Amino acid sequence: MIVPRKHMQNNNRRAFIKKALFVTGGVALQSCQTQAPQEILPEAPKPKPTPLPDGLNQEHFQLHNPKPLALESLRDKVGMSPITSTRRLFVRNNLPRPSQDIVVHSDQWTLDITGVMNPKTLSLSQLQQLGIETLYAVLQCSGNGRAFFTHGPSGSPWATGAAGCVQWTGVPLSVVFTACGGIIPNMKYLTATGGEILPKDVPRNKSIVERSIPIEKAQQDCILAWELNGEPIPISHGGPLRLIVPGYFGCNQIKYVQQISATKEQSQAKIQQSGYRFRPIGEKGNTSHPSMWRMPVKSWIVNAYEDQIQHIYTMHGVAFSGERGIQAVEYSTNGETWIPAELYGIDLGSNAWRCFRFQTSSQENIQKIYTRAIDTQGEIQPKERIENERGYGNNSWLDHAFVLHKKEKNKENQDLDTILTQEKEEKGRALFTKEAKPPCGVCHTLDDAQTNAQIGPNLNLLQPTTARVERALKNGVGAMPSYGTQLSKEEIQTLAEYVAHAAKK
Amino acid sequence: MIVPRKHMQNNNRRAFIKKALFVTGGVALQSCQTQAPQEILPEAPKPKPTPLPDGLNQEHFQLHNPKPLALESLRDKVGMSPITSTRRLFVRNNLPRPSQDIVVHSDQWTLDITGVMNPKTLSLSQLQQLGIETLYAVLQCSGNGRAFFTHGPSGSPWATGAAGCVQWTGVPLSVVFTACGGIIPNMKYLTATGGEILPKDVPRNKSIVERSIPIEKAQQDCILAWELNGEPIPISHGGPLRLIVPGYFGCNQIKYVQQISATKEQSQAKIQQSGYRFRPIGEKGNTSHPSMWRMPVKSWIVNAYEDQIQHIYTMHGVAFSGERGIQAVEYSTNGETWIPAELYGIDLGSNAWRCFRFQTSSQENIQKIYTRAIDTQGEIQPKERIENERGYGNNSWLDHAFVLHKKEKNKENQDLDTILTQEKEEKGRALFTKEAKPPCGVCHTLDDAQTNAQIGPNLNLLQPTTARVERALKNGVGAMPSYGTQLSKEEIQTLAEYVAHAAKK
């Protein structure tokens, strides 16, 4: 058990936190902070209701993007149990998910295995006969916590809900390699390829969902899973077959996996070469920047109750550290004095999260409660996040504080409509439909431009701001390439203004 | 690890097993034996399709009774993972489930706690603030395996699918007792009362779902749970609050629990005094017979694959022993020579089940594969079941064999229609609607008798045989009282014939 620690740092609450969106305290504080601070969400989408896949219930989620789906679990809906229900688990796709047919006809799914002495193509049934293992692991998007960054990184503004802890069952990669005569010597990476349908007119490596991890990791504890929480993996979570890399960020857990290869080099895919890189703000990603592999130590409170007679808060939360597991969790009401929380439930292994609970007086005028986890290697969850271009890997305890009291919503920094000249509108539409290469309409639906593609988000539903479109055009985002070298600054500005306005028509 | 054992017993396959319903072998033997041998299911219900609660999918289940719901998980649908999905978990209610409102408005649920120094009524929210624990436990109906008994016991003919292993989260009973000043001295039992709506005209103790367990067990590891597999417990599984007695049979896991009491005596409810008793065939139940508390050591295969090129069967199964956990599992193709199976997945505690896997040659003409579990106290799953009136607690490895090859369905012992005289029909209808006390129509729907009650099964859907109705009338079943002393043999015979015929109209 960890004794309380006293830290002398000034509790420097930055301005943006002071302006945060607060919520009502009450007897059962179930509706805790489930959104990021308001002023750093100027681009929050206002989608029309859209049916979710796999029978998911909209009430448990915040929808960031309808297609490819980006669905955040509400902070207080993940429950108080170590294993998260599939029905409450976040969903994030890099490309639109394939047809439901591939899970209905899972017996027809095959996996190519190369970079081994005897390359093979195995059916799901053949994999199921090779060997079996069950493991418990946190599934977390690299961008979980992005909502707390203030520089406006591209991508969905996840707060805490792009994470869950689940049960996976499948065959160990080590068993598959052995069945294929072993790995060819000197291979350094395991490269896995997803089975999404790629957009036409976009080079394969710009759009394909393909990631590489160290080959030692692949041999150590990765599995090819066919069951999630005791059921065949549903389409939204990568069924019929998904690569599970325990302790690593979600981008490495390749859905609909159709090929695994032992390779000398990392994949040439954009999402490996420059994407999912932990890079300074303003820099382009390259292989010198750390890839989003192991998840660092992190914790947050998921719900809280207030006993208004005895003046006690009771709080529950989760804590994890990829490949390491958790030694202890502490909480603080001032960011200086730390008190141990109680862990409950059995330890489900070094890649699962631990649930914790604590009680504290509600009589003081507490506005926030902080938690920090300590992993089994003694690493302590840090106070500050590390600033980075894409808003990845946020594990700051300051950012993830649980906010207790309601204050007026901040109205600053809201997007203001501007007038779009007819000239700009026509130029923007031309760029959107034909002049940009590939044209935006190849991937996006936008009624005003009469395009109806479903590779990228439906812009009528997403309703992005000018700034968001501009950033996406300049830097690319997910499978979308950068147009920064192809289009001039003015063209990007015009196209962005056009999209922002047209989407709201 | 257990070394292979050789047993010298004659492999005495009884006649009824020879007549069993066999199924096709194939590359993926997913459709394994999910039903009991045909000739011991003469009374299998043929219900019309009926919507299931909580969005459950009929494809994963065999429906034994529509109301109160008795829904068996198909043998090959429980999956290959230690924790069973709620969507594939069997459902069994003693009485019709209460309104969905009690889970929608779970904040209004209260629990009375008596037999303690400071009796209290606590809300769900108050319980959630008292303390928290998560545990993993097998949930199994006492009658799981009843289908293999040959004397035709009353109740649903469960084969293997009245069992699953799940995650429960709630507050330990020991914490609740402490919060109430502790248990009054010399109390011997924990008595828990369900919140089902009781049928009118039936004495409380004849119908109420109320069970007692030893007070030491209650203090040791029982919890009052509000989450099942990471979600609020759905109505079909006892939400918003259920008593969990780890390692004990399902009848003790009181759903919709509204009262817990430390008591000197066991509950006076029929299901405690005479029901759920392990009693010789033909004897009435009483407190001298063992109550269905701890679950004995048991295992079965859930699915199988055949590699038709290499001639290998790959099989997966589950094994458990209440409060003890599993040390090893063995398999046999002849019931004499035993070979260790491989356990996989981490140990989720002494009340969870372990999953196992093994491979064996498919070249021999194997018809059945047997498994037997050995628990951590060294107890070995027995070959034979213990015969008992209600068909409880079957853990025979002979009965639970996995059947591999298809044979012609057995046509013997099928029910034959007989002619019902008009006189008998009128007398039967009179007994059904008014002469029996309470009349059958108070609880059952039967179109011919113009009754429409929903406490007991809808007889038009159940379509019971004469013999089944006769047994139920003589002995009672579940909440239904015995009419054995009130009605004459002839009256019971007439009433049974009437119901069997009328239900098929």
Side-chain angles (χ1 to χ4, degrees):
Chain A
M1 191 181 288
I2 302 297
V3 294
R5 298 158 193 257
K6 183 123 185 163
H7 288 256
M8 301 310 293
Q9 303 100 313
N10 181 20
N11 182 12
N12 175 26
R13 291 180 189 172
R14 279 164 294 176
F16 85 87
I17 285 191
K18 289 199 186 133
K19 295 176 191 163
L21 168 69
F22 297 92
V23 294
T24 315
V27 173
L29 303 173
Q30 294 284 358
S31 298
C32 57
Q33 184 201 22
T34 55
Q35 286 189 297
Q38 187 71 5
E39 77 283 16
I40 61 168
L41 269 177
E43 306 165 26
K46 298 167 194 163
K48 300 164 195 164
T50 182
L52 299 179
D54 301 326
L56 295 176
N57 183 345
Q58 197 113 23
E59 286 178 15
H60 303 150
F61 299 101
Q62 179 180 2
L63 182 66
H64 290 303
N65 251 356
K67 198 164 186 177
L69 190 58
L71 198 61
E72 176 165 5
S73 310
L74 295 181
R75 190 162 179 164
D76 63 345
K77 297 292 187 193
V78 294
M80 299 180 232
S81 305
I83 300 174
T84 310
S85 165
T86 308
R87 286 186 280 203
R88 303 198 168 213
L89 183 64
F90 82 101
V91 182
R92 191 268 191 265
N93 277 89
N94 277 74
L95 288 174
R97 60 182 177 276
S99 159
Q100 178 75 12
D101 289 350
I102 68 171
V103 293
V104 172
H105 303 292
S106 61
D107 54 328
Q108 292 168 25
W109 193 257
T110 58
L111 176 77
D112 294 331
I113 303 144
T114 61
V116 290
M117 301 307 283
N118 305 313
K120 289 189 179 179
T121 296
L122 296 178
S123 68
L124 181 59
S125 167
Q126 287 174 311
L127 289 166
Q128 287 169 332
Q129 293 173 68
L130 273 187
I132 194 164
E133 189 52 274
T134 292
L135 58 84
Y136 303 89
V138 172
L139 184 70
Q140 183 189 215
C141 184
S142 304
N144 199 29
R146 177 182 288 136
F148 305 107
F149 286 83
T150 53
H151 68 290
S154 302
S156 297
W158 309 103
T160 61
C165 179
V166 293
Q167 169 183 258
W168 298 106
T169 295
V171 58
L173 277 190
S174 57
V175 170
V176 177
F177 288 141
T178 301
C180 296
I183 293 169
I184 292 174
N186 301 321
M187 295 299 178
K188 288 188 178 164
Y189 300 97
L190 181 280
T191 297
T193 313
E196 290 89 349
I197 292 169
L198 301 183
K200 288 175 189 166
D201 304 321
V202 178
R204 175 186 183 278
N205 281 336
K206 295 257 183 195
S207 62
I208 196 153
V209 179
E210 186 174 274
R211 291 276 301 167
S212 301
I213 57 167
I215 195 74
E216 298 77 19
K217 174 66 178 173
Q219 290 272 38
Q220 181 189 307
D221 60 0
C222 295
I223 66 171
L224 290 159
W226 53 79
E227 275 188 15
L228 164 61
N229 286 347
E231 287 198 296
I233 303 176
I235 192 73
S236 58
H237 291 294
L241 193 68
R242 184 168 187 178
L243 174 66
I244 301 304
V245 186
Y248 277 35
F249 281 105
C251 55
N252 304 288
Q253 331 279 332
I254 300 296
K255 294 176 174 181
Y256 330 110
V257 59
Q258 61 179 9
Q259 181 171 40
I260 56 169
S261 303
T263 55
K264 279 191 183 159
E265 306 291 340
Q266 294 182 28
S267 164
Q268 291 303 307
K270 176 169 172 281
I271 67 166
Q272 182 69 29
Q273 289 290 315
S274 60
Y276 293 112
R277 296 281 172 180
F278 202 78
R279 51 185 157 118
I281 293 174
E283 277 190 29
K284 289 200 179 301
N286 62 56
T287 52
S288 75
H289 300 121
S291 198
M292 296 309 292
W293 284 342
R294 195 188 78 81
M295 299 184 288
V297 60
K298 186 168 178 180
S299 70
W300 61 85
I301 292 164
V302 296
N303 70 20
Y305 297 84
E306 183 178 3
D307 180 332
Q308 293 182 322
I309 296 164
Q310 297 190 61
H311 304 291
I312 294 173
Y313 289 129
T314 302
M315 305 213 153
H316 303 99
V318 296
F320 61 96
S321 182
E323 300 184 315
R324 295 183 184 176
I326 288 299
Q327 175 188 135
V329 178
E330 303 170 327
Y331 71 93
S332 174
T333 55
N334 58 12
E336 294 178 5
T337 317
W338 296 87
I339 302 166
E342 165 202 351
L343 303 181
Y344 64 88
I346 61 170
D347 186 346
L348 294 172
S350 57
N351 298 299
W353 66 27
R354 293 300 298 270
C355 290
F356 64 84
R357 167 192 190 265
F358 62 88
Q359 293 188 311
T360 188
S361 167
S362 64
Q363 279 185 300
E364 303 164 56
N365 182 24
I366 303 169
Q367 293 196 349
K368 295 184 180 185
I369 299 197
Y370 308 95
T371 63
R372 63 178 191 188
I374 298 101
D375 72 22
T376 57
Q377 293 194 14
E379 190 170 334
I380 303 175
Q381 182 180 351
K383 179 178 183 183
E384 308 279 355
R385 64 177 179 268
I386 300 173
E387 300 293 346
N388 68 95
E389 174 62 27
R390 290 301 310 279
Y392 286 146
N394 189 352
N395 64 339
S396 147
W397 58 251
L398 198 60
D399 285 357
H400 291 82
F402 189 90
V403 182
L404 282 161
H405 294 292
K406 189 177 184 171
K407 290 198 176 177
E408 201 188 346
K409 284 188 187 180
N410 182 274
K411 298 284 184 193
E412 289 175 29
N413 295 332
Q414 289 197 347
D415 243 18
L416 297 174
D417 281 344
T418 54
I419 294 161
L420 190 68
T421 63
Q422 193 185 339
E423 187 188 8
K424 270 199 174 177
E425 184 172 3
E426 283 168 9
K427 175 64 180 170
R429 193 182 292 115
L431 283 162
F432 190 92
T433 54
K434 51 190 184 214
E435 293 178 11
K437 301 294 174 200
C440 315
V442 167
C443 290
H444 296 279
T445 291
L446 182 64
D447 292 348
D448 182 81
Q450 297 184 308
T451 65
N452 194 26
Q454 305 200 325
I455 307 295
N458 177 323
L459 297 167
N460 293 110
L461 296 180
L462 187 64
Q463 301 201 349
T465 59
T466 302
R468 184 173 187 178
V469 181
E470 213 176 326
R471 268 200 304 277
L473 287 167
K474 270 188 198 154
N475 308 327
V477 52
M480 175 174 164
S482 160
Y483 289 80
T485 53
Q486 179 196 137
L487 302 179
S488 70
K489 271 191 185 174
E490 291 68 31
E491 284 172 324
I492 285 178
Q493 176 69 24
T494 300
L495 179 49
E497 285 184 27
Y498 164 71
V499 169
H501 279 76
K504 292 194 178 72
K505 275 188 181 176
Chain B
M1 191 181 288
I2 302 296
V3 294
R5 297 159 194 255
K6 183 122 184 165
H7 287 256
M8 301 310 293
Q9 303 100 312
N10 182 21
N11 181 12
N12 175 26
R13 291 180 188 171
R14 278 163 294 175
F16 85 87
I17 285 192
K18 289 199 185 131
K19 295 176 191 163
L21 169 68
F22 297 92
V23 294
T24 315
V27 173
L29 303 174
Q30 294 284 358
S31 297
C32 57
Q33 185 202 20
T34 55
Q35 286 190 296
Q38 187 71 5
E39 77 282 16
I40 62 167
L41 270 177
E43 305 165 27
K46 299 167 194 162
K48 299 165 196 165
T50 182
L52 298 179
D54 301 327
L56 295 176
N57 183 344
Q58 197 113 23
E59 286 179 15
H60 303 150
F61 299 101
Q62 180 180 1
L63 182 66
H64 290 303
N65 251 357
K67 197 164 187 176
L69 191 58
L71 198 60
E72 176 165 5
S73 309
L74 295 181
R75 189 162 179 164
D76 62 345
K77 297 292 187 195
V78 294
M80 300 180 232
S81 305
I83 300 174
T84 310
S85 165
T86 308
R87 286 186 281 203
R88 304 201 167 211
L89 183 64
F90 82 102
V91 182
R92 191 268 190 266
N93 277 89
N94 277 73
L95 288 174
R97 60 182 177 276
S99 159
Q100 178 75 12
D101 289 351
I102 67 171
V103 293
V104 172
H105 303 291
S106 61
D107 54 327
Q108 292 168 24
W109 192 257
T110 58
L111 175 78
D112 293 331
I113 303 145
T114 61
V116 290
M117 301 308 283
N118 305 313
K120 289 189 178 179
T121 296
L122 296 177
S123 68
L124 181 59
S125 167
Q126 287 173 311
L127 289 165
Q128 287 168 332
Q129 293 173 68
L130 273 187
I132 194 165
E133 189 52 273
T134 292
L135 58 84
Y136 303 89
V138 172
L139 184 69
Q140 182 189 215
C141 184
S142 304
N144 198 28
R146 177 183 287 136
F148 305 107
F149 286 83
T150 54
H151 67 289
S154 302
S156 297
W158 310 103
T160 61
C165 179
V166 293
Q167 169 184 259
W168 298 106
T169 295
V171 59
L173 277 190
S174 57
V175 170
V176 177
F177 287 141
T178 301
C180 296
I183 293 169
I184 293 175
N186 301 321
M187 294 299 178
K188 288 188 179 164
Y189 300 97
L190 181 281
T191 297
T193 312
E196 291 89 349
I197 292 169
L198 301 183
K200 288 175 190 167
D201 305 321
V202 179
R204 175 186 183 278
N205 282 337
K206 295 257 183 194
S207 62
I208 196 153
V209 179
E210 186 173 274
R211 291 276 301 167
S212 301
I213 57 168
I215 195 74
E216 298 77 18
K217 174 67 179 172
Q219 290 272 40
Q220 181 189 307
D221 60 1
C222 294
I223 66 171
L224 290 159
W226 53 79
E227 275 189 15
L228 165 60
N229 286 345
E231 287 197 296
I233 304 176
I235 192 74
S236 58
H237 291 294
L241 193 67
R242 184 169 187 178
L243 173 67
I244 301 305
V245 186
Y248 277 36
F249 281 105
C251 55
N252 304 289
Q253 331 280 332
I254 300 296
K255 295 177 173 180
Y256 330 111
V257 59
Q258 61 179 8
Q259 181 172 39
I260 57 169
S261 303
T263 54
K264 279 191 184 160
E265 306 291 339
Q266 295 183 27
S267 164
Q268 291 303 307
K270 177 170 171 280
I271 68 165
Q272 181 70 29
Q273 289 290 315
S274 60
Y276 293 112
R277 296 282 172 180
F278 202 78
R279 51 184 157 118
I281 294 174
E283 277 190 28
K284 290 201 179 302
N286 63 56
T287 52
S288 75
H289 301 122
S291 199
M292 297 309 293
W293 284 342
R294 195 188 78 81
M295 299 184 288
V297 59
K298 186 168 178 180
S299 70
W300 62 85
I301 292 164
V302 296
N303 71 19
Y305 297 85
E306 183 178 3
D307 181 332
Q308 293 183 323
I309 295 164
Q310 297 189 61
H311 304 290
I312 294 173
Y313 289 129
T314 302
M315 305 212 153
H316 303 100
V318 296
F320 61 96
S321 182
E323 300 184 315
R324 295 183 183 175
I326 288 299
Q327 175 188 135
V329 177
E330 302 170 327
Y331 71 93
S332 174
T333 55
N334 59 12
E336 294 178 5
T337 317
W338 296 88
I339 302 167
E342 165 202 350
L343 303 181
Y344 64 88
I346 61 170
D347 186 345
L348 294 172
S350 57
N351 298 299
W353 66 27
R354 293 300 299 270
C355 290
F356 64 84
R357 169 192 189 264
F358 62 88
Q359 293 188 311
T360 188
S361 167
S362 64
Q363 280 186 299
E364 303 164 56
N365 182 26
I366 303 169
Q367 293 196 348
K368 295 185 179 185
I369 299 197
Y370 308 95
T371 63
R372 64 179 191 188
I374 298 101
D375 72 22
T376 57
Q377 293 195 14
E379 190 169 335
I380 303 175
Q381 182 180 350
K383 179 179 183 183
E384 309 279 355
R385 64 178 179 267
I386 300 172
E387 300 293 346
N388 68 95
E389 174 62 27
R390 291 301 310 279
Y392 286 146
N394 189 352
N395 64 339
S396 148
W397 57 252
L398 198 60
D399 286 357
H400 291 82
F402 189 89
V403 182
L404 283 161
H405 295 292
K406 188 176 186 170
K407 290 199 175 177
E408 200 188 347
K409 284 187 188 180
N410 181 274
K411 299 284 184 192
E412 289 174 30
N413 294 333
Q414 290 197 346
D415 243 18
L416 298 174
D417 281 344
T418 54
I419 294 160
L420 190 68
T421 63
Q422 192 185 339
E423 187 189 8
K424 270 199 173 178
E425 185 172 3
E426 283 168 9
K427 175 64 179 170
R429 193 181 292 115
L431 284 162
F432 190 92
T433 54
K434 52 190 183 212
E435 293 178 10
K437 300 294 172 198
C440 315
V442 167
C443 290
H444 296 279
T445 291
L446 182 63
D447 292 348
D448 182 80
Q450 298 184 307
T451 64
N452 194 27
Q454 306 200 324
I455 306 295
N458 176 324
L459 297 167
N460 292 111
L461 296 180
L462 187 64
Q463 301 202 348
T465 59
T466 302
R468 185 173 186 177
V469 181
E470 212 176 326
R471 268 199 304 276
L473 287 167
K474 270 188 197 154
N475 308 326
V477 52
M480 175 174 163
S482 160
Y483 290 79
T485 53
Q486 179 195 139
L487 301 179
S488 71
K489 271 190 185 175
E490 291 68 31
E491 284 172 324
I492 285 178
Q493 177 68 24
T494 300
L495 179 49
E497 284 184 29
Y498 164 71
V499 169
H501 280 76
K504 292 193 178 73
K505 275 188 181 176

